[in-house]
Amino acid sequence: RFGDRVACPLCIAGGLERLSEHPLAGAVVAAAEASGHPCPSPKVEGFRALPGRGATGEIDGKQYYIGNPRLFQEMDVDLSPAEGSITRFQEDGRTAILLGTREQVDAAFALEDTLRRDAVAPIGELRQLGVDHVIILTGDNAPAAQSVARAAGITEVRAGLLPDEKVKAIERLVDEYGSVAMVGDGVNDAPALSAATVGIAMGAAGSDAALEAADIVFMGDDLSRLPLLVRISRATMNVIRQNIAFSLLIKAVAVAAVFPGWLTLWLAIMADMGATVLVTLNAMRLIGFRLRPNSRGVTGHDKLR
């Protein structure tokens, strides 16, 4: 907080973020509710999300903005009162968000990403499955992103990205590797989810925009489903290839049997119906792909691998 220009910056920040769908907004709202300040949540009018930057809304006839430092730089607001706090937060591996108007910065808040307990094991499982390149794309500052990446065992980080910059990063990765799966949950992730070969949204925590843009939606918020998703996908593709090969083989044998006169009506019917029954039974093996914990605590098994 810088001076006494705002009676309760946390209350104003909480009021603005209460209307936001961004995952970080919940942390600000929770902090405002737990602060013990007597002021009620202010009434916000004309709320508008600013993708990749923050949000804005009018409170008591005054337009407030909350978001990353880039937002205020683009409005040519003097950041000198907050520079010390921003630098300190970033050196500590935290994300700095600012509250203010078009004239001044009133307060700075530090948000720290804590690594999910279920994040490390799936990344190791993905590498065991041959997914060698795991990359973090984030709008957070580089020190904060690097801190999370080190804890998760990820070596490549691309930080400070706006939504359109995430899309460009995905497009470059597609050109480089051919196929890219993107996992996201926020409004800022939606364009990148659409640009990826496969977009995967976290259903429990995901925004509506992310859910609409994704190809696959996890109904829960469990990252351990990622390795299972890869196993199921590979098993499904194996079954599809087997069924196509078997069907073509049966048809080829039936056609070849026509010329010497070996193919009778009943054999033709058996070849046609028999192929249908066999490929259906083969596909039904996928029903056996069930969730169960293994010795590493990761769900899934390799029955059809």
Side-chain angles (χ1 to χ4, degrees):
R1 177 175 173 176
F2 310 109
D4 296 322
R5 294 176 295 199
V6 176
C8 183
L10 187 56
C11 294
I12 293 176
L16 288 169
E17 296 287 35
R18 195 180 301 277
L19 302 177
S20 174
E21 292 185 348
H22 196 283
L24 293 180
V28 178
V29 174
E33 292 175 346
S35 65
H37 286 291
C39 56
S41 178
K43 181 181 179 181
V44 180
E45 297 180 351
F47 175 84
R48 182 163 54 94
L50 306 173
R53 294 165 175 81
T56 182
E58 185 177 312
I59 298 176
D60 295 332
K62 192 172 185 180
Q63 194 73 25
Y64 286 95
Y65 295 82
I66 185 167
N68 54 37
R70 179 183 296 192
L71 169 63
F72 289 85
Q73 288 172 344
E74 292 175 351
M75 296 190 299
D76 293 325
V77 178
D78 180 18
L79 295 184
S80 56
E83 284 179 351
S85 298
I86 295 172
T87 301
R88 186 173 68 256
F89 294 160
Q90 293 181 348
E91 288 176 349
D92 292 340
R94 299 177 180 180
T95 298
I97 63 170
L98 306 179
L99 172 70
T101 64
R102 284 186 171 273
E103 291 77 35
Q104 62 192 24
V105 176
D106 295 314
F109 304 95
L111 300 180
E112 183 175 8
D113 285 325
T114 57
L115 187 66
R116 294 167 51 130
R117 289 179 295 178
D118 62 346
V120 178
I123 292 171
E125 283 282 299
L126 289 174
R127 290 203 170 99
Q128 291 177 14
L129 291 170
V131 182
D132 297 324
H133 302 282
V134 181
I135 303 169
I136 291 180
L137 303 180
T138 178
D140 289 342
N141 63 80
Q146 291 287 356
S147 176
V148 172
R150 284 193 298 270
I154 298 173
T155 57
E156 189 170 350
V157 176
R158 302 184 187 184
L161 301 180
L162 295 173
D164 60 321
E165 292 172 335
K166 287 185 179 180
V167 172
K168 293 177 182 177
I170 290 291
E171 291 173 345
R172 286 193 293 268
L173 291 172
V174 170
D175 292 338
E176 184 175 356
Y177 298 110
S179 298
V180 174
M182 165 79 178
V183 182
D185 58 9
V187 175
N188 297 335
D189 295 327
L193 288 171
S194 296
T197 310
V198 179
I200 305 170
M202 307 302 292
S207 65
D208 292 341
L211 300 182
E212 288 290 335
D215 302 295
I216 299 171
V217 176
F218 288 156
M219 298 309 294
D221 194 20
D222 186 359
L223 287 174
S224 68
R225 297 296 193 271
L226 283 173
L228 177 65
L229 175 62
V230 174
R231 292 190 179 98
I232 291 177
S233 301
R234 290 179 177 176
T236 301
M237 290 304 300
N238 286 337
V239 168
I240 291 173
R241 294 188 187 100
Q242 292 166 8
N243 287 347
I244 291 174
F246 182 75
S247 298
L248 292 176
L249 177 62
I250 291 294
K251 299 299 181 184
V253 170
V255 170
V258 170
F259 299 102
W262 297 342
L263 188 66
T264 66
L265 177 61
W266 288 108
L267 287 177
I269 293 173
M270 289 179 62
D272 183 61
M273 297 302 297
T276 301
V277 171
L278 288 175
V279 298
T280 301
L281 292 174
N282 188 42
M284 288 177 66
R285 295 193 302 135
L286 291 170
I287 298 176
F289 218 98
R290 292 285 186 264
L291 290 173
R292 66 174 176 80
N294 62 23
S295 59
R296 291 184 296 272
V298 179
T299 55
H301 65 77
D302 299 333
K303 181 177 179 181
L304 295 177
R305 181 189 266 180

